[in-house]
Amino acid sequence: MASNSTTQFFALSQSFSISDIIIIAAYFLLNVAVGIWATYVLLALAWVFVPVYVSSGIVTMPEYLGRRFGGERIRTYLSVLSLMLSVFTKISTDLYSGALFVQVCLGWNLYLSTVLMLVVTALYTIAGGLAAVIYTDTLQTFVMIIGAIILTITAFNKIGGYSNLERVYQAAIPSKIIPNSSCHLPREDAMHLFRHPVTGDLPWPGMTLGLTILATWYWCTDQVIVQRSLSAKNLSHAKGASILASYLKMLPFIFIILPGMISRALYPGNTQPSEL
């Protein structure tokens, strides 16, 4: 039986042409390239930035700038800037989305829900410190991933698969439109990951080069992100966490973007032009 399997294997391998082998090799190389391109900034955090931070003996980003360039003004400036950015770009949106969820589920007042979330978050953060924040982040990660998997499976079952999504999405016109405007119409390149470099709304050169700069700042120098890496037991733990986070960063396209497109295709009447 083993000899027959070997014979079949060699017979199959001989049926491959040079072009087949090139295509297969190109496929695997493309997968590796896409994987590296999608996670390299997070890997740079663990292999390039964190060793520098650890060797400097710092615990915050403003402290690192203070040691690197000297003086207190740049340290104070970055502290104030980071605080303002967190309040106006992160905390505010997180609080609103969380309070909106509580309002929809429980029917509570939006402002009451916001205050409740602030009180609960402040209690466990002050009492447990960074460890409490990390443990709650870990718990929320599992909850979000499990919920996203269930949502995605349910959504694709309702839409009838990806091929049907392509067809239905292009015909999903909202009930409320803006006259003499095309903003409510689905884009022809809606299913293209890499948009046209000139006419695309998200041109791929700008996404690749521009977002690389922003991603380097966010993942490698932002206090909220780096603080978690600096709290690791050792450098190996920091590297392992970055690798895990890199894999998790590949999930939003499947578990967030595609269900969102399915929701528009299934419920076009509930879509506002501003959401497109």
Side-chain angles (χ1 to χ4, degrees), residues 140-204:
Q140 292 168 12
T141 298
F142 283 107
V143 172
M144 288 189 292
I145 291 177
I146 294 173
I149 292 174
I150 297 174
L151 172 64
T152 303
I153 293 175
T154 304
F156 271 103
N157 285 336
K158 278 187 170 291
I159 202 68
Y162 181 81
S163 59
N164 200 41
L165 170 62
E166 290 185 287
R167 179 182 61 82
V168 178
Y169 183 83
Q170 294 299 330
I173 307 298
S175 58
K176 297 180 180 180
I177 65 174
I178 299 177
N180 302 321
S181 174
S182 62
C183 74
H184 58 277
L185 299 175
R187 292 183 59 89
E188 295 182 358
D189 59 356
M191 295 296 176
H192 293 265
L193 185 60
F194 295 98
R195 304 293 173 85
H196 192 277
V198 177
T199 60
D201 58 336
L202 297 172
W204 69 263

Side-chain angles (χ1 to χ4, degrees), residues 2-102:
S3 61
N4 290 337
S5 300
T6 305
T7 303
Q8 292 175 359
F9 172 77
F10 281 108
L12 182 62
S13 63
Q14 290 174 357
S15 65
F16 287 140
S17 64
I18 298 298
S19 59
D20 293 329
I21 297 176
I22 293 176
I23 292 175
I24 294 174
Y27 167 77
F28 284 106
L29 289 175
L30 180 62
N31 272 277
V32 173
V34 171
I36 294 176
W37 175 76
T39 65
Y40 69 97
V41 176
L42 267 170
L43 298 181
L45 167 65
W47 268 265
V48 178
F49 287 83
V50 169
V52 174
Y53 297 149
V54 171
S55 63
S56 302
I58 56 95
V59 294
T60 66
M61 291 298 95
E63 183 183 4
Y64 175 75
L65 282 185
R67 293 195 179 188
R68 174 65 178 81
F69 298 103
E72 288 295 324
R73 287 183 298 178
I74 191 171
R75 182 173 177 175
T76 304
Y77 168 76
L78 182 60
S79 299
V80 174
L81 180 62
S82 299
L83 182 61
M84 292 180 62
L85 287 175
S86 295
V87 170
F88 292 107
T89 66
K90 299 177 184 177
I91 298 177
S92 56
T93 55
D94 291 343
L95 282 175
Y96 175 75
S97 59
L100 187 62
F101 174 79
V102 174

